[in-house]
Every structure is written in C-alpha cells, then in structure tokens.
Amino acid sequence: MEEPDPLDPDFSYLFDWFWSMRAGLSAGLNGAEPLSMTEMAHWMTLTGDILRREEIRIIRSMDDAYLAAVAKERAEAAERSPKGI
C-alpha cells in the first residue's frame, strides 16, 4: 500500500491530529519532548480516532521535523543571547 501524501488536501486531517497530540505534551528542561507511541495510543483512546500504520509513520516524521525545527530555533536563540546569561 502506498503511503498517503501529507500535503494532499485529503490528508490535511493529519496536521490537525498532529497538533492535537502535541498540545497535550509538556516541554522538558531540554525543550520539546518527542511524541511517544504511548501518547498516540492515549490520544486514540480519548478521541476515538484510529491511526493506521501509515498515518503513525507520517505523524512520527512530522514530529521529527518539528523537534528538529525547535532545536534549531533554540540554538539560534542561544547564539543571539548575550554570553553568560
């Protein structure tokens, strides 16, 4: 089975689901925490929405991209801040 293209308008619901899952996470001392399989399972239980394997892979890829962007933003902010603060 071919994986759905998350940029296809028919799969825009994945962005909604992703942000819904991320909204329930807290940040740790090192910034954003990854979205765990347990969190996804809890989200499915609470919402009644069921994730297929392909959707889980896409959401995990989205989360990887999100975490990389957050880490890059934190690193750039650290470079801009005065040293020693």
Side-chain angles (χ1 to χ4, degrees), residues 5-78:
D5 177 1
L7 299 179
D8 183 324
D10 290 339
F11 297 103
S12 62
Y13 68 93
L14 290 175
F15 286 100
D16 295 335
W17 287 3
F18 171 74
W19 289 115
S20 175
M21 289 178 214
R22 289 259 9 132
L25 295 178
S26 60
L29 293 175
N30 294 322
E33 297 290 328
L35 186 59
S36 71
M37 296 297 278
T38 302
E39 291 293 336
M40 286 190 218
H42 287 193
W43 179 87
M44 286 190 283
T45 299
L46 291 170
T47 64
D49 292 317
I50 304 298
L51 292 167
R52 298 179 310 196
R53 283 186 299 252
E54 299 83 13
E55 293 166 332
I56 291 170
R57 281 195 294 269
I58 290 169
I59 288 174
R60 289 184 65 115
S61 292
M62 292 167 71
D63 197 48
D64 290 345
Y66 171 78
L67 293 171
V70 168
K72 180 180 177 188
E73 185 176 296
R74 284 176 55 100
E76 289 172 355

